[in-house]
Amino acid sequence: MSHFPILSLLTFLPLVGAVFILSIRGTEEVVARNARHVALWASVITFLLSLYLWFAFDPTTAAFQFVEKAEWMPEFGINYHMGVDGISILFVLLTTLLTPVCVLSSWESVTTRVKEYMVSFLIMETMMIGMFSALDLVVFYIFFEAVLIPMFLIIGVWGGPRRVYAAFKFFLFTLAGSVLMLLAILAMYFDAGTTDMPALMAHSFPKGMQNWLWLAFFASFAVKVPMWPVHTWLPDAHVEAPTAGSVILAGVLLKFGGYGFLRFSLPMFPLATVEFTPLIYTLSIIAVIYTSLVALAQEDMKKLIAYSSVAHMGFVTIGTFTLTIQGIEGAIYQMLSHGIVSAALFLIVGVVYDRIHSRDIASYGGLVHRMPAYGLIFMLMMLASVGLPGTGGFIGEFLVLVGVFQVNSWVAAFAALGVILGAAYMLYLYRRVIFGQLTKESLKNILDLSPREILVFAPLVILVLWMGVYPSSFLDFMHASVNNLISQVEVARAAAESAVLAGH
Amino acid sequence: MSMAQIPNLIPALPELFMAMVAMALLMLGVFQKAGVEGGEAKTSKMISYLSVVTLLLALLLTATVSSVPGTTFGGMFVVDPFSVYFKVMVLFASAISIIMAQQYLQTQGIARFEFAILILFATIGMLMMISANNLISLYLGLEMQSLSLYVIATFQRDDTRSTEAGLKYFVLGAVASGMLLYGSSLIYGFTGTTDFQALASLFHDSQGHAPSVGLIVGIVFIMAGLAFKVSAVPFHMWTPDVYEGAPTPVAAFFSVAPKIAALALFLRVMIGPFGDLAAQWQQIVIFISVASMILGAFAAINQTNIKRMMAYSSIGHVGYALIGLAVGNEAGVRGVMIYLAIYLFMNLGAFACILTMRRGDRMVEDISDLAGLSKTNPMLALALTIFMFSMAGIPPLAGFFGKLYIFLAAIEVELYALAIIGVLSSVVASYYYVRIIKVMYFDDVTEPLNKAVGKELGSVLAVTAIVIVFFIVYPGPVLNGAAAAAAALFAG
């Protein structure tokens, strides 16, 4: 390892910031102010450093880059192994981008226990970056699980009225899913003799075992994505979490599941993947259509966006399992754009929630008269969520549909129906909140976006348009890795088929 | 008596040293001037710290002079890396328990010097148990420990709950000892020996023959007795009552040192003499392990008293540790040893937190008393949060690694059902651990607890919390020590 350990630096820099915040002493006000600044600086510096990845990454190869390896538990052959490829690098960047946005967005809205709040966010950033760059299963699992601790506290301490219920539901659902994955990881360790991810991708597990392992990983990722019917924790968690908590939950945590499918299920258990694809399609289509209908009936803005997340993630799982280049790239693209769009939508709800402390759609109406800038940004994000051409959402959905159409046109047809429903509930939401007459007393004096809020939205707006207008700058990162992933699956399938033929 | 007849005393040096010092300290305590205002408390403090020094010196002896593998006293007493590993843990646990108890004893007005002495004697018994290499020495060690523990449980003798706890523990403990002794006599009757090595080679040679029913009954009786001592289901009933009734520092002590010693004994007896009969006893261990995990997880949910909750939690932890025994190979034993080392730290830390729970000059022990602790005493709340997440097995804290190595062993021998039940019950158990965190962080302060933590408890908390958090960075020493110790158990 001759190069600079950039990934470890990115991973642990926020943790250093957290330790620094913990050491701040003084009156509550001083501590709060310093905690905010330290958190912002730590996350902004992390983001700037992460741009190094963007420029130094070599998109022509599918190999892992910026690799670091150090002995950790040598007697078990478990190493601290980090690295990124075309699939994970953009998620790392998404994380480093959204964390400063979160910190900035809670600048004024979080006033109690600011120190603990900022510490939780920085620890969470560490865990998220670590999760996306881990190249050892045990290291991955540790980061994957450790996210529960700060997120549980963020929902539970700074959340809404039913925060305790939501926090417990979130915690127990995700934990129950991931412990089975832990057992699967151990079983893989004994079959392959290592927990090193690149080695495991090259290892071929016996067919019968693959199914069980796939199901164990599925239990964990399906909860994270979340897929129908284990999505019920998500609306509760989103509704009760503070704005920034929802942003990071929708923006990054939900991607753990989709990333997990791409990183583990597809390359490591290709035969099981092919076998279980109909299951994934079925659950995803139910998710897309059912949750869209549910979203249509919501009275709570955050809940509506939460259900729309489930529907959008349904596209991701469909695209992932098409095993076509368009489908998988579309899935990754959809995750990235959803990460930005849903984050922005939750921030948009947060803006008005901070002003009049209501998330009910019914308590708004006619906001465009008092808040034109707000209305504009809301419209852009709403259209991106719907998938209007020119925004990032379109590219993702389009690629997924192209991919799935090659494989199964029925699935494509149902998924397309979801797009229409998506437009319906988003436009309906927008009409009720923004348009109409401004008649409610509480809204008469509402203020438009403050400069700080515009600063929060600026990077997200730019990215959504950039992703919509020139997708190549993001897709180029993925090509080599996605091609490699697909060929891995194909090789495994071909090998299995020839084995079957030889057996006859 | 000629010199040749005196057995080699070096392997038993820590025990002999402790026994002599304990008796000397007893004398010292008795002959202190009585009647002086606060004299009793002062004596207690002095004897306690001398006892801590004694324990640490014994620890030093164990790790240096007496760590050479070998047997003595006609093969009744064995020293190997396995015994050294467990003795270090037990001695450390006892020393910390005495330190943690000081403040409690003083404020509750029960600061009598006998407390530390009794812990010393109990510890000597535990060291004997760990080094037992014969059914007779096993029983002697166990009884020496148990008799001291019965007395410590009733240490707050003006309190009916404490005396009730002691009595309950005594009666049930005596029954368990009786079962163990009866099992030993059956085994002696059917094999003609009580020596572990002799038993092991006997069973090794007669592999292939079905063991006689009497022998199996004997083993089952021994297991029942040991299951009582480690408080595994279905012999766990005493645990919640004793933990709740006994003075809190005593409960803290009970939850670590005797449990670790009894598990060491359990491992040695099952793997050593009866190792070749694993097919006969493995089912039983699997059953008590599963039953303990499930009961520990579900029964704790409804508890309102934090000591009772910790009692059920300890039952659950024993269930996890017993997975390692059910696996029955080197990896399994290594898993148990890593698990217990981590359990030691997190349990001591959790009890140190419980010992700080005071309101005015009254100890409180309801979970709801912790409400809003994160606002009144953030550092204490953080420490307890670390211990609770660790007990729930959430990475990156140490408790996760304890479970990891246990499940690693279980998966290796394809005990999938046991592992799946284990992880799922750990999810259920995480509910009540996390509930404590919820009470501290999410609930509002009702009546604040005292802020003062105290020097002793503060340092115990700091040390244990640091170990739990930073285990991930440098797990080498524990892993290597456990590996060597587990290898030793299978070498013989």
Side-chain angles (χ1 to χ4, degrees):
Chain A
M1 190 176 40
S2 53
H3 63 83
F4 185 63
I6 178 78
L7 286 174
S8 291
L9 184 72
L10 284 179
T11 305
F12 294 107
L13 191 69
L15 199 61
V16 174
V19 172
F20 195 76
I21 292 180
L22 274 179
S23 67
I24 296 175
R25 292 276 176 274
T27 63
E28 202 170 324
E29 218 168 295
V30 175
V31 171
R33 195 180 59 230
N34 288 334
R36 287 189 187 109
H37 280 107
V38 173
L40 185 63
W41 278 110
S43 53
V44 166
I45 293 172
T46 310
F47 172 65
L48 294 177
L49 282 172
S50 71
L51 290 178
Y52 171 77
L53 292 183
W54 172 276
F55 292 112
F57 186 81
D58 172 12
T60 56
T61 164
F64 288 99
Q65 302 180 34
F66 312 106
V67 174
E68 298 166 29
K69 204 168 187 176
E71 274 199 347
W72 182 38
M73 294 193 277
E75 54 272 61
F76 296 94
I78 298 172
N79 297 309
Y80 173 78
H81 191 180
M82 306 280 263
V84 287
D85 68 352
I87 295 172
S88 52
I89 180 172
L90 292 174
F91 290 108
V92 174
L93 291 166
L94 179 70
T95 310
T96 57
L97 171 76
L98 285 182
T99 309
V101 169
C102 284
V103 171
L104 202 59
S105 77
S106 22
W107 205 256
E108 282 157 15
S109 57
V110 171
T111 49
T112 53
R113 301 202 232 180
V114 179
K115 179 170 151 183
E116 286 93 336
Y117 183 85
M118 294 302 170
V119 168
S120 300
F121 262 96
L122 290 179
I123 290 179
M124 193 141 72
E125 185 176 18
T126 287
M127 300 307 167
M128 293 185 299
I129 298 175
M131 208 253 7
F132 286 123
S133 24
L135 284 187
D136 186 282
L137 265 180
V138 175
V139 179
F140 164 84
Y141 184 82
I142 288 171
F143 284 124
F144 185 82
E145 277 287 89
V147 171
L148 284 182
I149 298 178
M151 199 62 212
F152 174 76
L153 293 176
I154 287 171
I155 298 177
V157 177
W158 295 276
R162 287 169 73 240
R163 61 205 157 91
V164 175
Y165 171 77
F168 270 91
K169 200 169 177 183
F170 164 77
F171 188 88
L172 293 176
F173 261 70
T174 17
L175 185 65
S178 26
V179 289
L180 292 174
M181 181 170 77
L182 176 65
L183 293 185
I185 289 174
L186 298 178
M188 289 161 74
Y189 171 64
F190 285 112
D191 193 73
T194 175
T195 53
D196 198 52
M197 279 156 53
L200 285 169
M201 288 176 193
H203 183 86
S204 64
F205 292 97
K207 172 78 175 69
M209 191 177 176
Q210 276 196 19
N211 286 350
W212 288 110
L213 295 176
W214 191 93
L215 284 172
F217 275 78
F218 174 72
S220 177
F221 298 145
V223 173
K224 279 273 184 204
V225 166
M227 295 180 73
W228 185 88
V230 285
H231 67 282
T232 58
W233 63 270
L234 184 75
D236 289 311
H238 268 318
V239 170
E240 300 306 324
T243 301
S246 298
V247 169
I248 213 80
L249 191 60
V252 184
L253 292 201
L254 298 193
K255 278 65 200 178
F256 281 25
Y259 172 73
F261 282 129
L262 288 167
R263 181 60 84 222
F264 302 101
S265 304
L266 263 54
M268 292 182 196
F269 323 125
L271 303 178
T273 297
V274 174
E275 183 151 336
F276 286 112
T277 298
L279 172 75
I280 293 277
Y281 283 164
T282 314
L283 294 182
S284 305
I285 285 174
I286 294 175
V288 168
I289 294 178
Y290 166 77
T291 52
S292 297
L293 291 173
V294 173
L296 209 48
Q298 293 307 311
E299 294 299 325
D300 181 310
M301 287 199 270
K302 265 186 148 181
K303 217 165 191 162
L304 190 149
I305 298 166
Y307 278 109
S308 85
S309 286
V310 181
H312 284 131
M313 292 308 282
F315 278 95
V316 171
T317 43
I318 291 176
T320 305
F321 281 82
T322 58
L323 299 178
T324 57
I325 180 113
Q326 293 89 346
I328 292 179
E329 288 192 0
I332 300 174
Y333 211 82
Q334 172 83 345
M335 280 196 268
L336 296 171
S337 83
H338 175 260
I340 290 167
V341 171
S342 68
L345 285 171
F346 279 115
L347 288 169
I348 283 167
V349 177
V351 166
V352 285
Y353 182 78
D354 286 345
R355 285 166 173 67
I356 62 170
H357 298 283
S358 169
R359 290 184 310 257
D360 283 341
I361 298 172
S363 38
Y364 296 96
L367 283 183
V368 71
H369 300 294
R370 291 277 311 168
M371 307 174 75
Y374 177 77
L376 181 70
I377 290 177
F378 196 168
M379 184 185 72
L380 179 72
M381 292 303 168
M382 182 269 296
L383 292 174
S385 171
V386 170
L388 192 82
T391 62
F394 169 74
I395 310 291
E397 280 179 4
F398 177 75
L399 283 173
V400 167
L401 288 175
V402 168
V404 71
F405 201 82
Q406 301 167 28
V407 183
N408 188 329
S409 46
W410 278 106
V411 176
F414 281 118
L417 191 61
V419 180
I420 299 171
L421 287 170
Y425 63 73
M426 284 315 289
L427 289 168
Y428 186 44
L429 168 74
Y430 190 74
R431 197 205 76 184
R432 285 183 289 173
V433 173
I434 300 293
F435 293 147
Q437 289 307 312
L438 188 97
T439 51
K440 300 192 176 57
E441 272 314 310
S442 53
L443 303 179
K444 289 274 159 67
N445 296 316
I446 199 162
L447 294 175
D448 207 352
L449 297 178
S450 69
R452 178 185 60 85
E453 285 163 338
I454 291 174
L455 187 65
V456 169
F457 284 113
L460 304 179
V461 170
I462 293 169
L463 268 171
V464 164
L465 293 174
W466 183 6
M467 288 181 79
V469 174
Y470 194 65
S472 288
S473 47
F474 302 91
L475 289 172
D476 285 347
F477 279 98
M478 305 171 201
H479 284 316
S481 296
V482 172
N483 271 324
N484 180 42
L485 176 65
I486 291 171
S487 69
Q488 269 175 326
V489 179
E490 290 304 325
V491 167
R493 273 171 75 177
E497 268 163 27
S498 65
V500 171
L501 289 175
H504 276 292
Chain B
M1 195 196 265
S2 72
M3 286 304 287
Q5 280 169 299
I6 295 180
N8 179 11
L9 296 180
I10 298 293
L13 204 57
E15 288 83 353
L16 293 169
F17 167 72
M18 278 174 65
M20 286 197 272
V21 175
M23 284 186 274
L25 288 178
L26 196 57
M27 289 293 153
L28 187 67
V30 170
F31 287 111
Q32 283 294 308
K33 238 185 287 175
V36 187
E37 183 68 28
E40 207 172 13
K42 211 178 268 175
T43 312
S44 159
K45 193 148 207 157
M46 178 184 72
I47 301 279
S48 295
Y49 281 105
L50 285 175
S51 305
V52 172
V53 172
T54 311
L55 287 165
L56 294 179
L57 285 175
L59 199 156
L60 199 67
L61 285 175
T62 308
T64 55
V65 184
S66 306
S67 67
V68 183
T71 60
T72 185
F73 296 113
M76 304 249 294
F77 189 96
V78 61
V79 168
D80 51 17
F82 178 81
S83 74
V84 172
Y85 184 94
F86 272 106
K87 282 181 184 179
V88 167
M89 281 205 281
V90 165
L91 288 164
F92 180 77
S94 300
I96 299 284
S97 300
I98 296 179
I99 295 173
M100 274 164 51
Q102 290 314 306
Q103 197 188 347
Y104 182 93
L105 297 177
Q106 303 284 351
T107 52
Q108 298 299 106
I110 50 169
R112 284 189 291 272
F113 70 91
E114 289 92 341
F115 181 84
I117 308 265
L118 282 167
I119 289 200
L120 277 188
F121 280 122
T123 311
I124 297 170
M126 292 172 208
L127 301 188
M128 285 283 293
M129 286 158 67
I130 294 169
S131 273
N133 199 29
N134 189 306
L135 290 172
I136 303 290
S137 50
L138 178 162
Y139 185 73
L140 288 176
L142 196 65
E143 281 307 278
M144 168 127 196
Q145 177 219 237
S146 301
L147 286 170
S148 315
L149 295 184
Y150 302 147
V151 183
I152 303 179
T154 58
F155 204 72
Q156 201 159 10
R157 64 181 181 209
D158 298 334
D159 180 30
T160 46
R161 284 198 310 167
S162 176
T163 42
E164 185 197 324
L167 189 64
K168 225 175 233 172
Y169 190 31
F170 172 67
V171 173
L172 291 172
V175 173
S177 299
M179 288 200 284
L180 194 118
L181 202 56
Y182 182 60
S184 307
S185 70
L186 275 176
I187 287 169
Y188 178 66
F190 279 87
T191 60
T193 178
T194 55
D195 184 73
F196 284 1
Q197 255 81 49
L199 284 167
S201 54
L202 192 71
F203 296 133
H204 190 70
D205 297 339
S206 63
Q207 264 178 331
H209 306 300
S212 65
V213 176
L215 188 65
I216 301 293
V217 173
I219 293 177
V220 171
F221 268 103
I222 288 192
M223 289 175 77
L226 289 173
F228 176 89
K229 299 293 176 191
V230 299
S231 73
V233 178
F235 304 99
H236 64 282
M237 281 84 157
W238 60 276
T239 322
D241 293 343
V242 171
Y243 277 36
E244 188 187 0
T248 311
V250 174
F253 178 61
F254 279 11
S255 73
V256 282
K259 200 154 273 189
I260 290 172
L263 271 165
L265 189 60
F266 213 150
L267 289 174
R268 192 188 288 282
V269 172
M270 299 326 288
I271 306 285
F274 305 127
D276 286 315
L277 299 180
Q280 314 291 332
W281 53 257
Q282 195 191 29
Q283 293 299 318
I284 304 177
V285 177
I286 290 179
F287 169 75
I288 57 178
S289 160
V290 167
S292 304
M293 289 186 296
I294 292 179
L295 184 112
F298 282 95
I301 290 176
N302 278 325
Q303 302 304 323
T304 53
N305 181 299
I306 194 163
K307 279 160 77 183
R308 278 188 90 83
M309 192 211 88
M310 289 299 291
Y312 283 109
S313 141
S314 81
I315 293 172
H317 283 297
V318 166
Y320 292 108
L322 286 177
I323 293 181
L325 178 59
V327 169
N329 62 14
E330 213 176 300
V333 172
R334 182 185 59 196
V336 179
M337 301 182 87
I338 298 170
Y339 194 87
L340 288 177
I342 292 165
Y343 169 80
L344 169 70
F345 282 98
M346 58 192 186
N347 230 43
L348 283 175
F351 267 104
C353 292
I354 296 172
L355 278 165
T356 64
M357 290 169 60
R358 314 175 55 79
R359 196 174 284 142
D361 49 2
R362 199 164 47 87
M363 295 296 295
V364 290
E365 47 195 46
D366 274 348
I367 292 173
S368 56
D369 289 320
L370 288 167
L373 188 70
S374 64
K375 286 180 194 139
T376 54
N377 195 342
M379 288 316 278
L380 182 62
L382 180 67
L384 191 51
T385 304
I386 289 170
F387 299 129
M388 288 298 134
F389 273 127
S390 172
M391 287 206 180
I394 308 292
L397 302 169
F400 164 72
F401 293 92
K403 291 207 167 74
L404 177 73
Y405 294 112
I406 290 278
F407 290 126
L408 195 69
I411 294 286
E412 188 178 11
V413 297
E414 304 187 346
L415 285 172
Y416 295 123
L418 188 58
I420 289 174
I421 294 172
V423 290
L424 291 181
S425 66
S426 85
V427 175
V428 177
S430 74
Y431 171 75
Y432 64 80
Y433 293 125
V434 170
R435 195 180 54 157
I436 305 256
I437 297 160
K438 172 236 159 198
V439 170
M440 291 191 298
Y441 279 88
F442 305 174
D443 291 359
D444 285 323
V445 189
T446 42
E447 275 181 87
L449 298 169
N450 292 6
K451 275 197 175 178
V453 168
K455 251 195 339 264
E456 292 102 349
L457 290 174
S459 32
V460 170
L461 279 173
V463 169
T464 47
I466 286 172
V467 169
I468 295 297
V469 172
F470 288 97
F471 179 84
I472 183 173
V473 181
Y474 191 52
V478 175
L479 301 190
N480 295 335
L489 190 60
F490 285 87

